[in-house]
Amino acid sequence: MIDVFLTALANILTLQHLGYMMIGVIVGLMIGVFPGLGGIAGLSLMIPFLYGMETTMALAMLIGLVAVIPTSDTFASVLMGIPGSSASQATVLDGFPMAKRGEAARALSAAFFASLVGGLIGAVVLTGFVLIARPVILAFSSAELFMLSVFGLSMVGVLAGKSLVKGVAACALGLIIGSIGGAPATGEFRMVFGVDYLYDGIPLVIIGLGLFAVPEIVDLLRRDRSISEHTTLGAGWFDGIRDVARNWWLTLRCSGIGALIGAIPGLGGTVVDWIAYGHAVQSVKKDPQFGKGDVRGVIAPESANNAKEGGGLLPTLLFGIPGGGAMAVFLGGMVLLGIQPGPSMVGSNLDLTYTIVWSLALANVLGAGLCILLAIPISKLTLIPFKLLAPFMIAVICFAAFQATRSLDDLIVLLATGVLGVYMRRFGWPRPALLIGFVLATQAETYLYQAVQFYGWEFLTRTGVMIIMGITAGSIWLGLRARVSEATPAEILAVEARDTATGPAANIRARGAQIVFALVALAFFAVGIHDSLQQSFLGQVFPLIMASAGAIFTALVLVLLVVGKPNHVVSSDTEHEAQSEGIPLRSTFGALLWVALLVALTALAGFIIALVAFFIAFLRLRAKASWLMTAILTAGCTGFVLTLASALNMRFPGGLLQDLYRLPWPFS
């Protein structure tokens, strides 16, 4: 065994190995900074360059990229409020408020240092469990995986904001949206309404960008200022490092959670950050300010994100079962290099396994160090007037949305989801709850069917299921105990200022917009119930239960809006609260219209022509930029998008005019 360790150590310390690893780290940093792409796009971009490379060198490059993307995607989450990838969405909740408060450098450095610790812990876990993980992973059947999905859903109680009924309704909404497409058990298509795009379901990247990116862009456009309200960036990255050191026990716990969840195939990549964030909300007792810029809300998900990569390599290497989308591409790269995952990775190829493990640890150190060095200069982006950044951000999220299916429908659904996110944000419907429901819908339904098929309902008595059930019950209890059941004094004053009279009639007048939104949600659940009743029993049971539960809780929201007291938490409306504080805001419709303009122009003339026209219109009409500034910014963004599209071998869908005149790439 000592010989194996020494061989692996000799492999990773060669100049050639370090050089290729650094290439992977740099490419991963560039991909991670770009919102919405993430590890799948980055690894896919790297795969064509592996042909003919020596095995350990190619692996060094792949591992460098895998290690740094969960670190570098924090830039977009903190600086712009746009999730850098599906695994950095929880970071937005506290990282972006810190940036707006002038503490971007602190948030970034805390995230990077927590990522470094998490990555190292993930590598340590992988080192220690390579030989003993096989029986542990095989012990997780579909029954235990279903209960783990339920455990993920239990985070809704923590992430539901001040109104639990809105949280449960939002989670049910996510579960129904996640069930659109083919039923796992029967293959029947649900809620597709004859639209080809819906047959495969709505992609996760669209939901993430629509719920979190579009609302933040709209909000900043309405406020018409820079992202940060301060002229300085705060105390800098030393404070962030001290924050991680002060919260070392939270960092270690969340890293352990990340490594454990990451080792479970299909579960970790998109939900581990929410589980870690929920754990932080439950366990932190000292002056919690989660959702308002609490650095612990950055540390928890970021440490878990990087630790999950080490955990995700366990099933990938030992069984050839990818732990997530990025691991699936990594597995393809291994096969391309002639490496066969399986028992041989802990036998004849054990030295190669430890080379991969320790390369992961070293790449985390290099990646985190590089990100920390760049944190302060990149943080200066928050001081740029947002009206100059907005067209870039709108273009970026539209480009990232195209990565889903590369059709115009991606942008249309992005716009629709963005409108949903804007009004959920305004009326206090928790977006994380919807996202968790969406992420876990398909796998929870699949694991439930499999568990019942294999074990019957007796699966609930399995030892592993009962243990996870107990942990879930404890999580729910802790979440409910820590809940805030009443509005804050400022919110009460805002609501009372709006609701000068009481009673149903007065409430309907004062809360009309909220009531309309709740009615639309109730109508959606009614459609879900009607559609599910058209399916067979196995195809209808899951969406029927979820839609019925969502309808019940949405009806309860409506009742509370109509007859509830003025200070009831369900009546939260950020629009009226901003008005009571004297904050000048532009029109929500006007801000959404700019996003809709790019979508409409793309449908008419194709993405590149639309991008140029959109930039000119926005910079001249909205930002009041000079013609020289407009030309420079338009050319820069267009050139960047074309270069990236060429590297990704991406063809944009043509618009109506291009379909008529068949214009060649790059105009399409």
Side-chain angles (χ1 to χ4, degrees):
M1 183 63 72
I2 298 299
D3 293 341
V4 172
F5 286 168
L6 292 177
T7 301
L9 187 62
N11 286 337
I12 68 170
L13 292 181
T14 62
L15 188 61
Q16 190 178 21
H17 187 92
L18 292 173
Y20 279 102
M21 183 188 297
M22 199 62 191
I23 292 174
V25 167
I26 293 172
V27 173
L29 175 61
M30 295 170 61
I31 293 292
V33 168
F34 193 83
L37 291 183
I40 296 176
L43 286 166
S44 300
L45 178 63
M46 189 76 77
I47 291 294
F49 297 97
L50 301 183
Y51 290 99
M53 290 185 64
E54 198 273 328
T55 300
T56 57
M57 302 304 107
L59 284 174
M61 196 159 63
L62 287 177
I63 288 292
L65 188 144
V66 166
V68 77
I69 283 180
T71 305
S72 58
D73 63 10
T74 308
F75 279 115
S77 298
V78 170
L79 296 180
M80 302 178 183
I82 299 176
S85 69
S86 61
S88 65
Q89 290 163 341
T91 307
V92 173
L93 298 185
D94 287 283
F96 191 53
M98 290 182 70
K100 291 194 288 186
R101 201 168 61 210
E103 297 181 347
R106 177 188 175 193
L108 287 171
S109 60
F112 298 148
F113 196 61
S115 295
L116 169 61
V117 175
L120 293 176
I121 290 176
V124 169
V125 169
L126 187 57
T127 299
F129 280 89
V130 160
L131 297 178
I132 64 174
R134 184 182 178 90
V136 174
I137 293 179
L138 290 178
F140 282 89
S141 69
S142 56
E144 284 76 21
L145 292 173
F146 169 70
M147 282 310 304
L148 281 170
S149 299
V150 174
F151 172 67
L153 290 172
S154 73
M155 291 295 105
V156 170
V158 178
L159 300 171
K162 296 183 176 66
S163 175
L164 184 60
V165 288
K166 283 185 176 179
V168 176
C171 181
L173 189 62
L175 287 163
I176 295 300
I177 295 174
S179 67
I180 292 174
T186 64
E188 298 169 280
F189 292 105
R190 303 176 302 202
M191 296 188 69
V192 295
F193 311 113
V195 179
D196 292 343
Y197 182 83
L198 297 178
Y199 278 89
D200 291 327
I202 300 175
L204 174 62
V205 65
I206 303 293
I207 297 295
L209 290 172
L211 288 179
F212 291 94
V214 174
E216 296 302 338
I217 290 174
V218 167
D219 181 63
L220 287 169
L221 275 175
R222 297 184 66 205
R223 294 174 185 269
D224 206 10
R225 52 173 174 74
S226 60
I227 292 175
S228 174
E229 301 176 8
H230 299 260
T231 57
T232 62
L233 296 176
W237 59 274
F238 283 110
D239 275 4
I241 294 175
R242 283 193 288 267
D243 287 326
V244 176
R246 281 194 293 266
N247 294 281
W248 63 272
W249 181 226
L250 175 66
T251 306
L252 292 180
R253 293 199 312 271
C254 291
S255 298
I257 290 172
L260 176 63
I261 300 298
I264 301 169
L267 185 67
T270 52
V271 78
V272 67
D273 58 327
W274 293 114
I275 292 177
Y277 186 86
H279 171 71
V281 174
Q282 290 174 335
S283 59
V284 169
K285 304 301 180 186
K286 183 179 179 182
D287 190 26
Q289 297 292 322
F290 291 101
K292 301 177 181 178
D294 194 316
V295 72
R296 292 165 294 191
V298 174
I299 292 171
E302 288 301 317
S303 56
N305 281 347
N306 275 53
K308 86 172 188 304
E309 301 301 334
L313 280 172
L314 272 173
T316 305
L317 294 176
L318 270 61
F319 310 115
I321 303 173
M327 285 294 109
V329 182
F330 180 78
L331 181 63
M334 291 178 62
V335 173
L336 183 65
L337 294 170
I339 303 171
Q340 187 60 47
S344 64
M345 298 301 292
V346 292
S348 57
N349 289 330
L350 187 58
D351 59 332
L352 182 60
T353 299
Y354 280 114
T355 298
I356 294 173
V357 172
W358 293 347
S359 294
L360 179 67
L362 184 57
N364 269 288
V365 175
L366 294 175
L370 189 59
C371 287
I372 288 173
L373 289 176
L374 295 174
I376 292 179
I378 293 182
S379 296
K380 294 184 184 296
L381 289 172
T382 62
L383 302 179
I384 299 175
F386 188 73
K387 58 189 177 184
L388 295 179
L389 283 178
F392 287 96
M393 293 176 65
I394 294 172
V396 159
I397 65 169
C398 288
F399 181 89
F402 270 131
Q403 298 298 313
T405 67
R406 301 191 175 187
S407 78
L408 177 65
D409 293 328
D410 290 326
L411 289 189
I412 296 173
V413 177
L414 173 71
L415 179 60
T417 310
V419 173
L420 173 65
V422 166
Y423 286 100
M424 287 185 71
R425 185 182 191 274
R426 172 179 169 178
F427 299 136
W429 288 60
R431 293 169 290 168
L434 188 153
L435 186 66
I436 282 191
F438 177 84
V439 167
L440 293 176
T442 300
Q443 61 196 54
E445 185 176 6
T446 301
Y447 293 144
L448 176 61
Y449 289 150
Q450 291 175 349
V452 173
Q453 181 180 2
F454 295 152
Y455 308 107
W457 290 104
E458 290 77 16
F459 82 87
L460 293 172
T461 63
R462 288 171 60 90
T463 303
V465 170
M466 295 181 70
I467 292 173
I468 300 172
M469 197 182 300
I471 296 172
T472 302
S475 171
I476 294 173
W477 179 76
L478 288 172
L480 292 175
R481 191 183 69 170
R483 292 194 55 77
V484 178
S485 59
E486 294 295 335
T488 63
E491 291 168 337
I492 291 173
L493 290 174
V495 175
E496 288 179 341
R498 180 180 79 241
D499 301 344
T500 55
T502 58
N507 285 342
I508 290 173
R509 288 193 299 271
R511 306 170 184 174
Q514 295 191 67
I515 292 172
V516 169
F517 182 81
L519 286 172
V520 171
L522 186 62
F524 181 82
F525 286 123
V527 171
I529 293 171
H530 178 268
D531 183 86
S532 63
L533 291 174
Q534 313 306 311
Q535 316 297 331
S536 66
F537 175 76
L538 289 178
Q540 73 174 219
V541 60
F542 186 84
L544 181 60
I545 293 173
M546 296 302 107
S548 299
I552 291 170
F553 278 90
T554 303
L556 183 56
V557 170
L558 277 169
V559 171
L560 292 173
L561 286 173
V562 173
V563 303
K565 296 179 180 179
N567 64 339
H568 199 285
V569 292
V570 82
S571 66
S572 173
D573 187 340
T574 58
E575 188 81 6
H576 294 296
E577 290 162 16
Q579 290 176 1
S580 68
E581 295 171 6
I583 300 175
L585 296 174
R586 289 174 174 260
S587 166
T588 300
F589 179 76
L592 281 169
L593 199 60
W594 284 109
V595 183
L597 177 64
L598 180 55
V599 177
L601 289 174
T602 301
L604 180 65
F607 186 69
I608 295 301
I609 294 176
L611 182 65
V612 173
F614 168 75
F615 254 74
I616 293 174
F618 188 97
L619 291 172
R620 289 292 298 164
L621 300 177
R622 177 67 174 79
K624 306 297 182 183
S626 66
W627 277 111
L628 178 61
M629 176 70 73
T630 299
I632 293 173
L633 295 180
T634 302
C637 183
T638 305
F640 174 73
V641 168
L642 287 175
T643 301
L644 193 57
S646 177
L648 293 172
N649 194 27
M650 181 178 181
R651 299 182 68 86
F652 297 111
L656 177 63
L657 296 180
Q658 292 190 40
D659 291 341
L660 292 175
Y661 294 99
R662 300 184 182 279
L663 293 179
W665 192 93
F667 296 101
S668 60

